Amino acid sequence: MRLSRVPGGAALRRAGLAMAAGALLLAGCGGAEEPAAAPGDERIAVAASVPPLAYLVDRLGGERVATTVLVPPGTEPHAYEPSPRQIAALADAHLFVEIGHPAFPFEARFLDHLAATNPGLQVVEVAAAVELLEAGDDEHDHGEAMTDPHVWLAPGTMARAAREVAAALVQLDPEHARDVRARLDAFLADIAALDRRLAAVAAGAKRRSFLVHHAAWTYLAAEYGLDQVAVEAGGREPGPRQLARIAETARREGIRVVFVQQGFSPQSAQVLADELGGRVVALDPMAYDWLATMHRVADGLEEALR
């Protein structure tokens, strides 16, 4: 993670992105977005790329923060573009918590614009201290790098991000530093308890592999010595031969649970689960309540690995 300031008056990082940001401001408007904190509101205005990062900010900032999520629930983040009104509404944000992965190009466009309009903005980049990993068997194209952008789905990454966000909030709101640190301690305790649970699930597992439709759980798997086997490849549904190979692998490993993303019901996942005599379990890596999501993951893994 990196805590930094967008340099005031500096040239935008790339001319092409600067032009794109300008085009966003001149383009058609979309729905009206409210600013993170209205004029006269003394709370810290924070923008977060995705709902789980907004949860992190809210856990640490409490009532002292007004958090806006750039990518709304149910939206595909890889192709998302912030609207002109959204960019304008966040021009006075104090802090931006971003993922910092090439799969989310809207973050670069957002920051390029705010470099000119909001030079005091602080930025926490969650992926900055993370070794980016290829997404297992899934060769999906998330951008210029073939790596998994879902870095927030590992407890260790979220703990590091929490410390960085807490440091930023203390700097922005020193009068309430004690409250921020107390909330940080409580959140880190929750993460430690989650880590102990996931470690226990992995230690007691009869198998090391679990089956997913989309390989979003690379960092979680790496943190606990597990392997995800992805049904989807290259962003495409598997053909009959590939599905047969996956089913053969799953039967050999004794896998009977297929994890899918909430809100999606890929036919291939259900076909595979039926073939294995198992079931499909829906998880949402973009859900706001990160801690509850991760405990549901632990529930699912406990079933899938036993």
Side-chain angles (χ1 to χ4, degrees):
M1 270 89 19
R2 182 181 71 230
L3 178 62
S4 61
R5 287 186 179 274
V6 178
L12 296 182
R13 277 180 271 174
R14 290 182 294 277
L17 288 179
M19 292 174 65
L24 278 172
L25 291 175
L26 296 173
C29 292
E33 288 86 0
E34 295 298 324
D41 192 337
E42 295 183 353
R43 292 179 297 169
I44 306 301
V46 184
S49 291
V50 295
L53 299 186
Y55 170 83
L56 165 63
V57 172
D58 291 341
R59 279 291 308 258
L60 299 176
E63 295 181 355
R64 289 295 302 160
V65 296
T67 309
T68 296
V69 181
L70 292 188
V71 181
T75 303
E76 171 55 54
H78 312 303
Y80 177 74
E81 293 289 352
S83 74
R85 286 190 180 180
Q86 191 173 42
I87 293 176
L90 294 171
D92 295 325
H94 303 99
L95 174 65
F96 178 38
V97 183
E98 66 163 345
I99 298 160
H101 189 281
F104 300 97
F106 74 87
E107 294 178 332
R109 295 187 179 96
F110 180 75
L111 285 172
D112 282 341
H113 174 68
L114 291 185
T117 63
N118 188 356
L121 180 71
Q122 292 198 23
V123 181
V124 171
E125 183 181 320
V126 175
V130 177
E131 179 185 357
L132 298 182
L133 303 174
E134 292 186 7
D137 292 335
D138 182 2
E139 298 173 354
H140 58 302
D141 183 8
H142 276 305
E144 61 191 51
M146 304 286 275
T147 52
D148 186 351
H150 302 86
V151 295
W152 65 89
L153 295 176
T157 299
M158 205 61 154
R160 290 192 297 271
R163 294 184 180 94
E164 295 287 351
V165 171
L169 292 175
V170 166
Q171 183 176 343
L172 290 165
D173 192 18
E175 291 183 5
H176 296 87
R178 180 177 296 180
D179 294 336
V180 172
R181 293 186 180 113
R183 285 189 285 265
L184 172 63
D185 289 343
F187 187 41
L188 291 178
D190 285 343
I191 295 176
L194 170 67
D195 172 65
R196 289 192 296 272
R197 184 183 178 198
L198 286 167
V201 168
K206 293 181 179 178
R207 61 187 61 87
R208 310 310 298 171
S209 299
F210 60 99
L211 193 58
V212 300
H213 180 260
H214 180 76
W217 308 93
T218 309
Y219 301 95
L220 175 73
E223 196 158 304
Y224 297 99
L226 303 173
D227 297 305
Q228 66 176 348
V229 177
V231 176
E232 181 188 76
R236 297 180 299 274
E237 289 293 302
R241 289 185 179 180
Q242 183 182 4
L243 199 59
R245 286 197 301 270
I246 295 170
E248 182 181 350
T249 299
R251 278 193 292 268
R252 187 171 59 248
E253 297 285 340
I255 299 173
R256 298 167 62 87
V257 175
V258 184
F259 294 106
V260 300
Q261 288 190 214
Q262 189 116 17
F264 296 88
S265 299
Q267 184 178 3
S268 59
Q270 189 60 59
V271 168
L272 191 56
D274 292 342
E275 176 73 17
L276 298 172
R279 70 187 189 98
V280 170
V281 172
L283 299 171
D284 186 2
M286 292 286 288
Y288 169 79
D289 193 333
W290 177 86
L291 188 64
T293 296
M294 297 303 291
H295 276 290
R296 281 193 289 273
V297 172
D299 291 339
L301 287 175
E302 197 165 25
E303 175 185 354
L305 300 176
R306 68 186 177 200

